[in-house]
């Protein structure tokens, strides 16, 4: 297996944190990094001890769930809670930060933002980042690269497809399963 870059490594950590999300609308993870070391992490979810969206549903006001604290904010608050300065650090996040998180990122002194996916990229947030000189970089991330069993799974699926072909499974079914295999394995 090929060694991943630091950027890919930290994006992988964000993806792992997102699995802890209690939001039913979008799972997001974030890490604050200094000198290639994670100093804080967060995911979007409810306040500690509060009701979770996965249990009680979203509490939506003006098309926004007000029950949820965003991943970026949770990571920055973790820095504050434990007395770890965020200034001069980088922030990695699975999705482009919302406007409110962007302002918090700026105020915390984050120097660079890496994100995985575009998500309602706010023009004013982009303008603010440019104005204060924070570099924002999209790091495309494919979680399939973290599947250490990918090669054996891929081999099994293609052997099954060959067996289906020999068993005279309809061309439509074979094409449907082949297309799905290509989606899963990126081939």
């Amino acid at each position: 297996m090929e060694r991943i870059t630091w950027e890919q490594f930290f994006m992988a950590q964000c993806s792992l944190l997102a699995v802890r999300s209690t939001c039913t609308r979008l799972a997001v993870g974030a890490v604050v990094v200094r000198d290639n070391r994670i100093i804080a992490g967060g995911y979007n979810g409810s306040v500690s001890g509060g009701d979770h969206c996965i249990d009680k549903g979203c509490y939506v006001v003006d098309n926004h769930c007000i029950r949820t604290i965003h991943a970026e904010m949770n990571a920055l608050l973790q820095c504050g809670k434990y007395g770890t300065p965020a200034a001069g650090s980088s922030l990695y996040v699975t999705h482009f930060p919302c406007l409110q998180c962007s302002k918090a990122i700026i105020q915390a002194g984050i120097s660079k933002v890496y994100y995985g996916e575009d998500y309602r990229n706010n023009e004013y947030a982009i303008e603010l980042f440019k104005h204060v000189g924070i570099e924002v970089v999209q790091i495309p991330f494919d979680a399939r690269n973290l599947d250490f069993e990918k090669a054996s799974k891929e081999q099994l699926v293609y052997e099954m497809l060959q067996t289906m072909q020999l068993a005279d499974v309809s061309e439509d079914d074979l094409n449907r399963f082949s297309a799905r295999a290509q989606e899963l394995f990126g081939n």
Side-chain angles (χ1 to χ4, degrees):
M1 185 164 116
E2 187 176 319
R3 186 175 188 200
I4 61 175
T5 65
W6 281 114
E7 289 81 12
Q8 288 291 311
F9 174 78
F10 295 125
M11 291 306 297
Q13 300 302 311
C14 291
S15 292
L16 186 59
L17 276 163
V19 176
R20 288 280 305 153
S21 172
T22 61
C23 178
T24 59
R25 296 164 53 138
L26 181 68
V28 179
V31 293
V32 180
V33 174
R34 182 183 305 113
D35 299 325
N36 286 336
R37 300 293 176 260
I38 296 171
I39 60 173
Y43 52 88
N44 56 333
S46 302
V47 297
S48 296
D51 292 332
H52 295 288
C53 297
I54 57 175
D55 298 326
K56 301 283 185 174
C58 291
Y59 184 5
V60 178
V61 175
D62 295 328
N63 201 29
H64 189 77
C65 180
I66 61 173
R67 188 186 312 270
T68 301
I69 299 173
H70 291 185
E72 305 93 321
M73 196 67 74
N74 267 328
L76 293 173
L77 290 168
Q78 190 177 77
C79 285
K81 184 176 183 177
Y82 296 106
T84 307
S89 299
S90 297
L91 181 120
Y92 290 77
V93 62
T94 56
H95 297 78
F96 190 88
C98 74
L99 178 59
Q100 296 305 318
C101 286
S102 296
K103 291 188 280 187
I105 289 164
I106 291 166
Q107 288 301 99
I110 296 292
S111 60
K112 197 168 189 177
V113 174
Y114 297 92
Y115 72 98
E117 294 182 40
D118 289 320
Y119 182 74
R120 299 180 184 172
N121 299 23
N122 184 285
E123 287 299 318
Y124 187 55
I126 295 167
E127 182 182 323
L128 286 173
F129 283 138
K130 284 181 185 173
H131 177 72
V132 298
I134 294 177
E135 186 179 357
V136 178
V137 179
Q138 185 174 21
I139 303 291
F141 180 72
D142 187 350
R144 292 178 296 196
N145 294 332
L146 299 178
D147 184 354
F148 300 114
E149 301 295 325
K150 179 183 173 187
S152 60
K153 290 175 185 176
E154 188 173 15
Q155 181 180 352
L156 173 64
V157 167
Y158 287 114
E159 286 174 9
M160 291 170 69
L161 286 169
Q162 288 175 343
T163 301
M164 290 169 65
Q165 187 175 22
L166 294 172
D168 288 329
V169 171
S170 77
E171 193 71 28
D172 288 343
D173 284 339
L174 278 174
N175 288 338
R176 185 169 44 92
F177 290 125
S178 293
R180 183 67 179 119
Q182 287 177 342
E183 288 174 20
L184 286 172
F185 300 115
N187 294 340

